[in-house]
Amino acid sequence: MSMSLAALVPSKTSKSLLVALLITGAAVGSVGGVGLYTFIYARGGSYLTNDPAACANCHVMQDHFDAWTKSSHHGVAVCNDCHTPHNFFGKYLTKALNGYHHSMAFTLDNFHEPIQITPRNRAITEQACRDCHQDIVDAIDRFHDPDKNISCLQCHDSVGHQAD
Amino acid sequence: LISIYERKQEAKNPFFRVVELTDETEDPAIWGKNFPFQYDAYQRTVDMVRTRFGGSEAMPRTPTQADPRSVVSESRLEEDPRLVTMWAGYAFSKDFREERGHAYMLEDQIYTERQQVAKQPGTCIHCHASVYVPYKKLGGGDLIKGFEIMNQMPYEEAKAKVTHPVACIDCHDPQTMELRVTRPGFLEGIKALKASQGIPDYDPNTMATRQEMRSFVCGQCHVEYYFKGTEKRLTYPWFKGLKADEILAYYDETGFKDWTHAESGAEALKAQHPEFEMWNQGIHARSGVACADCHMPYMREGAHKVSDHHVRSPLLNINRACQTCHKFPESELKERVELIQERTFQMRNIAMDALMDLIGEIKASKESGATDDHLAEARACQRRAQFLLDFVEAENSTGFHAPQEAARILTLSLDHSRRGQMALRKSS
Amino acid sequence: LISIYERKQEAKNPFFRVVELTDETEDPAIWGKNFPFQYDAYQRTVDMVRTRFGGSEAMPRTPTQADPRSVVSESRLEEDPRLVTMWAGYAFSKDFREERGHAYMLEDQIYTERQQVAKQPGTCIHCHASVYVPYKKLGGGDLIKGFEIMNQMPYEEAKAKVTHPVACIDCHDPQTMELRVTRPGFLEGIKALKASQGIPDYDPNTMATRQEMRSFVCGQCHVEYYFKGTEKRLTYPWFKGLKADEILAYYDETGFKDWTHAESGAEALKAQHPEFEMWNQGIHARSGVACADCHMPYMREGAHKVSDHHVRSPLLNINRACQTCHKFPESELKERVELIQERTFQMRNIAMDALMDLIGEIKASKESGATDDHLAEARACQRRAQFLLDFVEAENSTGFHAPQEAARILTLSLDHSRRGQMALRKSS
Ligand SMILES: [Ca+2]
Ligand SMILES: [Ca+2]
């Protein structure tokens, strides 16, 4: 378990963040309870499906949904293809983590706007690009340590969300 | 919990039509009953917060009979006395302050000392009050006629016809809430501009896109202007284009001058707040980014999005104003703007020093007996150098709206000052 | 079907290690056996295509004994004879051409007429040939030592030690193919720059990010430089920073001059291709966009992606070079660049005319008997005005790499010319 966790959670910081979140959730029962309630009522359960429209259940996701419908990947990738790891465990852990975090944020209404992707989720998205495009990027990355890989998003940040 | 429930409700009812609005409803408080978010924000334009080069700072003062204001903004003349020399003999050399929020526009115009040293016409009101209803009343239903009548009134008389600073009705159709241009100055100016580009009979209210309107409503006032002829008709000098040198060419052709410079005798021009013109030369306009995108960005109020009617410096609201398009940290975006502004300010200061040199030299030559003939070319250079410099100086973004274009204009200005100095040398 | 199968094969083997590469493999054709896509593109730098301000145009010429080239690029001196005046008395006034692709770098250096009018040191070779292996050989395995030895050779002798224009080995580690900096000039220059910023012992090869290396490999040569001392050590003048005025301050402090101006007697400086320095002041560098992103954009080759080793003007490749980041039509992007360039060019011309005036006046004063004392200040102004103007003139993007900064430098230049003219006036 610890090994697979390390594989799912890219950095130490986000790992301890995860642990902290889980502990906080358990210890502070009332907050956790509200979070759970929100999760259900605000159809946080939509995190568990692959339907992009489900993400847009939260109106704060509407813009991203709209922008996705105009993007080059509209026909080839849904939200989860880019925003969750491409393995079973990681996928549902990430969903749970994000689902919990976003439900809390949505309820407390205290998040930064415009919404910004977290470093952890950014890394997951980068990995998603690499998974699908393994072949084509091989030439440009094969000569480097994985931590010296060039960031896809530096040039292609709009593939999933095209503005207008 | 409650908050989620409320939001689900809100999303279904973006506003409640509490009162009926008509084309005569001037008071924004009444509009505010239907649109409380917009009205609340609109009222916050009283806030005074300084940025490195913009915003405004609250300077306490002792109210007097003539001027009851207890708070004004910084005097730009005290900050930079070279401005007094640049405008010698003109009302601006008496009083010129950092501009502040829309809430102050009427009182700041009424009480500026510029009113005491020169008789102003009713034309002034066009951009400092809600004039839509008053114009229509004066014109018996005809906006343009009302405009013409008020232009020719003395300021004191015109002032009594208006009540509010710019209000909802000046930018919105009360039935549909769509944006509209209500200012004759802009309607005529943009028509002339479009005509010069081969587009006849242009009318923004029927022909502009929604995104264009999000800048045109601001272009109603944030523009260079002059009072044409004895009727003092408000005119936007866009007949040859919107660039500073094109506007100068128009003034040169028509032989217009604002005043005669007290120290040098040059026929001088004053440029004022050409935000619309400069923005038009920048990369943002070219990319379709409107004034409202940065100065009235969308903000979320519960489940729906509203335009922030607290019109102000975007640097006081970087996350909403810039981060929707630029995914850099706030501190980085602020630094980018300030770097652009610092560079502009350095160039502006260089051009200003050169102008001071030129004015000083013309003055000295005059005093030592040079004839008007001898001074003619140097004075023409001063006129040009001064207008171009003032165009950037008066533009309120300190170069941000079009950094390279501002620099180009300052280069032209500096070169005219240089040539003026050379001309004196040749003729002496 | 076959083609899909082939691509899948290719994808798994994006390159075949056909030959073993070592730190002595100089010939790019050998590297090309392993990396045919990169090698093919690399060879295409022989193409000559003109853009509005860049690229290059093939001008036929009759080969001579002294200069066997049958095609050269445009003479910049013929295009703008003011350059001849600016560089009067210096080799550049004899021959200066539009630069062209990497394939030509060695022959263009060998045959420029500048070689005929002045004795050049071996230092020149640093940026015009593949020197990594020759340096190491000369230095007995020590790169820096080899560099020092070649610097002090006469050009003719040094030339004989090299064979290729810049080659794979100058930018790549043959084992890992990772980027590396091989040029002593850059290694020492960046170290001094970082030291001035409080970072000691900076070594790009161990401390830079991959993205930084995508610019540093170009910064090896596309920089301002001078030959220091009698050892003619190639030096990048970055001790006070990378900006034009900071570099000028460094030269002023060290009292360096490139030559004495033939017409005015000023101790003049020549600026050369400061692309790296200017790019550093621009918004692209600030946003992390590297030289290679625009000049070597990725291209698709069958089943994989490679960097386009046909290094050239991005305007000849807008879709790959710009459109990944900027979703505007090609024509619009081209217009944006050209608008920036036209503005830069206008300001450059204004600054150039002012410099011509100044040089003309100093010359006239000198001829009518003014003493060196009288001319000192005007000459100092010329030195400054000229270096700053040349910094923008010599920078090959015509302002694009940092539009507002280029304008700022030109404004400083223009002001120095103006002050020089004033100084003459005061002293006469
Ligand atoms: Ca202000
Ligand atoms: Ca070229």
Side-chain angles (χ1 to χ4, degrees):
Chain A
M1 179 63 197
S2 72
M3 253 183 69
S4 57
L5 237 189
L8 302 168
V9 184
S11 73
K12 270 198 187 138
T13 22
S14 32
K15 194 156 125 193
S16 40
L17 197 90
L18 166 64
V19 173
L21 255 176
L22 292 177
I23 291 172
T24 317
V28 190
S30 62
V31 177
V34 174
L36 186 63
Y37 182 87
T38 311
F39 188 73
I40 296 163
Y41 178 74
R43 299 202 223 153
S46 49
Y47 268 100
L48 302 177
T49 85
N50 253 344
D51 181 0
C55 296
N57 262 335
C58 275
H59 57 76
V60 295
M61 294 288 101
Q62 189 64 43
D63 286 352
H64 306 89
F65 178 82
D66 292 347
W68 168 74
T69 62
K70 292 175 211 146
S71 76
S72 63
H73 281 62
H74 177 217
V76 294
V78 296
C79 315
N80 285 333
D81 290 325
C82 292
H83 291 294
T84 55
H86 289 184
N87 60 60
F88 182 82
F89 246 129
K91 180 161 173 174
Y92 287 97
L93 180 65
T94 296
K95 284 187 175 199
L97 198 62
N98 287 344
Y100 180 79
H101 172 66
H102 297 175
S103 300
M104 288 305 295
F106 188 71
T107 308
L108 301 175
D109 202 3
N110 63 348
F111 49 91
H112 181 279
E113 288 185 82
I115 292 170
Q116 292 169 330
I117 199 163
T118 58
R120 177 181 184 277
N121 283 335
R122 204 169 205 275
I124 287 172
T125 302
E126 282 265 358
Q127 194 48 53
C129 313
R130 289 199 160 77
D131 287 345
C132 285
H133 295 289
Q134 218 165 9
D135 293 359
I136 198 171
V137 298
D138 198 44
I140 65 171
D141 268 353
R142 68 174 303 138
F143 306 104
H144 297 275
D145 308 340
D147 63 337
K148 269 197 164 184
N149 276 346
I150 202 159
S151 158
C152 314
L153 302 188
Q154 172 193 323
C155 297
H156 297 294
D157 70 350
S158 60
V159 292
H161 305 273
Q162 179 71 58
D164 61 76
Chain B
L1 214 59
I2 290 173
S3 120
I4 291 178
Y5 176 76
E6 273 178 2
R7 274 191 232 140
K8 289 211 161 189
Q9 290 304 310
E10 275 174 25
K12 291 201 182 99
N13 290 296
F15 78 94
F16 307 90
R17 199 177 279 278
V18 178
V19 292
E20 203 53 49
L21 301 172
T22 74
D23 217 24
E24 273 87 51
T25 316
E26 205 180 317
D27 186 355
I30 302 175
W31 293 58
K33 296 225 162 73
N34 286 353
F35 307 106
F37 296 134
Q38 286 83 359
Y39 181 62
D40 286 356
Y42 167 86
Q43 285 185 301
R44 281 202 295 278
T45 59
V46 292
D47 292 358
M48 295 181 74
V49 182
R50 185 100 189 106
T51 62
R52 171 78 184 81
F53 288 99
S56 66
E57 195 173 333
M59 313 291 276
R61 73 179 288 282
T62 318
T64 59
Q65 184 77 17
D67 179 356
R69 293 175 299 172
S70 59
V71 169
V72 291
S73 59
E74 319 87 288
S75 164
R76 300 287 312 285
L77 299 178
E78 280 166 27
E79 264 169 37
D80 190 342
R82 290 174 299 182
L83 295 172
V84 179
T85 306
M86 170 150 91
W87 297 323
Y90 200 48
F92 275 86
S93 67
K94 297 297 170 213
D95 188 16
F96 173 57
R97 297 183 174 277
E98 175 65 29
E99 96 287 34
R100 49 182 176 159
H102 282 169
Y104 299 101
M105 61 169 69
L106 190 47
E107 60 174 271
D108 282 348
Q109 185 179 58
I110 294 176
Y111 300 116
T112 177
E113 282 178 50
R114 299 209 289 276
Q115 292 279 9
Q116 295 161 26
V117 296
K119 255 196 125 45
Q120 306 292 0
T123 321
C124 292
I125 306 272
H126 181 278
C127 301
H128 284 261
S130 185
V131 290
Y132 180 72
V133 176
Y135 276 175
K136 288 206 60 170
K137 274 199 195 134
L138 270 178
D142 183 337
L143 187 78
I144 301 293
K145 212 164 152 199
F147 162 67
E148 288 166 346
I149 296 173
M150 200 185 284
N151 284 346
Q152 302 189 41
M153 287 178 178
Y155 183 81
E156 286 300 311
E157 195 185 329
K159 185 184 84 181
K161 310 271 177 215
V162 301
T163 322
H164 299 281
V166 62
C168 321
I169 199 162
D170 295 294
C171 298
H172 290 284
D173 178 307
Q175 297 309 313
T176 63
M177 288 308 287
E178 284 197 31
L179 291 180
R180 64 171 176 188
V181 170
T182 57
R183 290 302 188 276
F186 187 83
L187 292 169
E188 295 177 358
I190 195 91
K191 195 168 165 177
L193 175 68
K194 294 279 180 177
S196 80
Q197 299 162 348
I199 304 161
D201 295 323
Y202 186 79
D203 175 4
N205 286 323
T206 56
M207 296 158 86
T209 64
R210 173 170 166 201
Q211 186 63 5
E212 283 173 328
M213 289 300 276
R214 290 164 54 84
S215 294
F216 285 179
V217 290
C218 316
Q220 299 188 100
C221 303
H222 287 269
V223 297
E224 160 62 2
Y225 69 90
Y226 79 115
F227 298 157
K228 194 177 187 173
T230 47
E231 327 83 72
K232 301 282 174 197
R233 191 181 194 90
L234 180 65
T235 307
Y236 299 174
W238 300 342
F239 303 86
K240 292 169 175 287
L242 292 175
K243 294 194 200 114
D245 33 358
E246 291 167 339
I247 292 176
L248 178 58
Y250 168 77
Y251 284 138
D252 282 347
E253 200 176 282
T254 54
F256 177 78
K257 69 163 184 204
D258 276 306
W259 87 106
T260 300
H261 197 274
E263 299 188 1
S264 71
E267 307 204 324
L269 295 166
K270 173 82 190 76
Q272 280 118 331
H273 35 73
E275 278 90 57
F276 181 74
E277 294 89 336
M278 281 292 261
W279 161 81
N280 246 292
Q281 310 311 319
I283 199 85
H284 282 106
R286 217 174 161 123
S287 305
V289 185
C291 313
D293 288 332
C294 300
H295 290 280
M296 301 180 65
Y298 288 117
M299 54 195 264
R300 204 173 44 79
E301 285 283 1
H304 41 97
K305 285 200 307 189
V306 300
S307 301
D308 187 350
H309 280 62
H310 181 188
V311 177
R312 61 181 151 157
S313 164
L315 296 186
L316 301 172
N317 193 17
I318 292 177
N319 62 332
R320 294 210 171 76
C322 320
Q323 286 184 321
T324 2
C325 297
H326 300 286
K327 303 192 186 279
F328 298 101
E330 290 194 22
S331 57
E332 166 64 16
L333 287 164
K334 184 159 165 283
E335 274 171 41
R336 286 183 183 200
V337 175
E338 289 182 355
L339 177 61
I340 290 172
Q341 294 182 320
E342 296 284 357
R343 287 197 191 119
T344 305
F345 193 61
Q346 186 190 13
M347 291 183 268
R348 169 236 189 235
N349 283 333
I350 290 173
M352 184 77 82
D353 280 340
L355 180 69
M356 293 301 112
D357 283 357
L358 175 60
I359 293 176
E361 290 178 19
I362 302 181
K363 191 178 159 204
S365 297
K366 209 179 78 180
E367 282 166 2
S368 60
T371 64
D372 282 348
D373 251 18
H374 267 118
L375 297 178
E377 202 183 324
R379 282 172 173 162
C381 285
Q382 184 197 333
R383 170 185 162 98
R384 290 193 286 263
Q386 182 159 328
F387 178 76
L388 295 168
L389 167 57
D390 209 357
F391 204 87
V392 177
E393 157 62 29
E395 207 281 333
N396 286 288
S397 73
T398 319
F400 176 79
H401 291 146
Q404 199 201 12
E405 172 69 359
R408 186 185 71 89
I409 298 172
L410 289 173
T411 306
L412 292 176
S413 169
L414 178 54
D415 196 42
H416 285 300
S417 287
R418 180 183 79 88
R419 287 175 189 279
Q421 290 182 280
M422 294 308 107
L424 282 179
R425 189 187 183 186
K426 244 181 280 161
S427 54
S428 67
Chain C
L1 215 61
I2 289 176
S3 118
I4 291 180
Y5 176 76
E6 272 179 1
R7 284 217 211 122
K8 289 215 160 187
Q9 287 308 306
E10 267 179 34
K12 293 215 183 84
N13 293 297
F15 78 96
F16 307 90
R17 200 176 279 278
V18 178
V19 292
E20 203 53 48
L21 302 172
T22 74
D23 217 25
E24 272 87 52
T25 316
E26 205 180 319
D27 186 354
I30 301 175
W31 293 59
K33 298 226 161 72
N34 287 351
F35 308 106
F37 298 134
Q38 286 85 358
Y39 180 63
D40 286 356
Y42 166 88
Q43 285 185 301
R44 281 201 295 278
T45 59
V46 291
D47 291 359
M48 294 182 75
V49 182
R50 184 98 189 111
T51 62
R52 171 77 184 80
F53 288 98
S56 66
E57 196 174 332
M59 315 291 277
R61 72 181 287 283
T62 318
T64 58
Q65 183 77 16
D67 179 356
R69 294 174 299 172
S70 59
V71 170
V72 292
S73 59
E74 320 89 284
S75 165
R76 300 287 313 283
L77 299 177
E78 279 165 29
E79 263 170 37
D80 190 344
R82 291 174 299 181
L83 294 172
V84 179
T85 307
M86 170 150 93
W87 297 322
Y90 200 49
F92 275 86
S93 66
K94 298 297 170 214
D95 187 15
F96 172 58
R97 298 184 173 274
E98 175 65 30
E99 95 288 34
R100 49 182 176 159
H102 282 169
Y104 299 101
M105 62 169 70
L106 189 47
E107 60 174 271
D108 282 349
Q109 185 179 58
I110 295 176
Y111 300 115
T112 176
E113 283 179 49
R114 299 208 290 276
Q115 294 277 8
Q116 295 161 26
V117 296
K119 251 197 128 44
Q120 305 292 2
T123 320
C124 293
I125 307 271
H126 181 278
C127 301
H128 284 262
S130 185
V131 290
Y132 180 73
V133 177
Y135 276 175
K136 288 202 62 167
K137 273 199 197 135
L138 270 178
D142 182 338
L143 186 79
I144 301 294
K145 210 165 153 198
F147 162 67
E148 288 165 346
I149 296 174
M150 199 184 287
N151 286 345
Q152 302 190 40
M153 288 179 178
Y155 183 83
E156 286 302 311
E157 194 186 330
K159 188 183 81 178
K161 310 270 176 217
V162 298
T163 323
H164 299 281
V166 63
C168 320
I169 199 163
D170 295 295
C171 298
H172 290 284
D173 178 310
Q175 297 309 315
T176 64
M177 286 309 287
E178 289 205 31
L179 292 179
R180 66 170 176 189
V181 170
T182 57
R183 288 303 186 276
F186 187 85
L187 291 170
E188 293 176 1
I190 194 92
K191 194 167 166 180
L193 174 68
K194 294 279 181 178
S196 80
Q197 298 162 349
I199 303 161
D201 296 321
Y202 186 80
D203 175 4
N205 286 323
T206 55
M207 295 158 89
T209 64
R210 179 170 168 195
Q211 186 62 4
E212 283 173 329
M213 289 301 277
R214 290 165 56 86
S215 294
F216 285 178
V217 290
C218 316
Q220 298 188 102
C221 302
H222 287 269
V223 296
E224 159 64 1
Y225 69 90
Y226 79 114
F227 297 157
K228 193 175 187 173
T230 45
E231 325 84 71
K232 301 281 174 196
R233 190 182 195 89
L234 179 66
T235 307
Y236 299 174
W238 300 341
F239 303 87
K240 293 168 173 288
L242 292 175
K243 295 194 199 113
D245 34 358
E246 291 166 340
I247 292 177
L248 177 57
Y250 168 76
Y251 284 139
D252 282 348
E253 200 176 283
T254 54
F256 178 77
K257 69 164 182 201
D258 275 307
W259 86 105
T260 299
H261 197 273
E263 299 189 0
S264 72
E267 306 205 324
L269 295 166
K270 174 82 190 75
Q272 281 119 328
H273 34 73
E275 279 89 59
F276 181 74
E277 293 89 335
M278 280 293 259
W279 161 81
N280 247 292
Q281 311 309 320
I283 201 84
H284 281 106
R286 220 176 156 120
S287 304
V289 185
C291 315
D293 291 349
C294 299
H295 290 280
M296 302 180 66
Y298 288 120
M299 57 195 262
R300 207 179 159 147
E301 284 285 4
H304 37 94
K305 242 175 110 164
V306 298
S307 300
D308 187 350
H309 280 62
H310 181 188
V311 176
R312 61 181 152 159
S313 165
L315 297 184
L316 301 171
N317 192 15
I318 292 178
N319 71 333
R320 295 202 177 89
C322 320
Q323 285 183 316
T324 326
C325 296
H326 299 285
K327 315 271 169 201
F328 297 102
E330 285 197 25
S331 59
E332 165 64 14
L333 286 164
K334 185 158 163 284
E335 275 171 39
R336 286 184 182 198
V337 174
E338 288 182 359
L339 177 61
I340 290 171
Q341 294 181 321
E342 296 285 357
R343 287 196 191 120
T344 305
F345 194 59
Q346 186 189 12
M347 292 183 266
R348 168 232 189 240
N349 283 333
I350 290 173
M352 184 78 81
D353 280 340
L355 180 70
M356 293 301 112
D357 284 358
L358 175 59
I359 293 176
E361 291 179 19
I362 301 180
K363 192 179 160 206
S365 297
K366 208 179 80 178
E367 281 165 3
S368 59
T371 63
D372 283 348
D373 250 18
H374 267 117
L375 297 177
E377 202 181 326
R379 282 173 172 163
C381 286
Q382 183 198 334
R383 169 186 164 98
R384 291 192 287 260
Q386 180 159 330
F387 178 75
L388 294 168
L389 166 57
D390 208 359
F391 204 87
V392 177
E393 157 63 29
E395 207 282 331
N396 286 289
S397 72
T398 320
F400 176 80
H401 291 145
Q404 198 201 13
E405 173 68 1
R408 186 184 72 89
I409 297 173
L410 290 173
T411 305
L412 291 177
S413 169
L414 178 55
D415 196 43
H416 284 301
S417 287
R418 181 184 77 88
R419 287 176 189 276
Q421 289 181 281
M422 294 308 106
L424 282 179
R425 188 187 183 186
K426 241 181 283 160
S427 53
S428 69

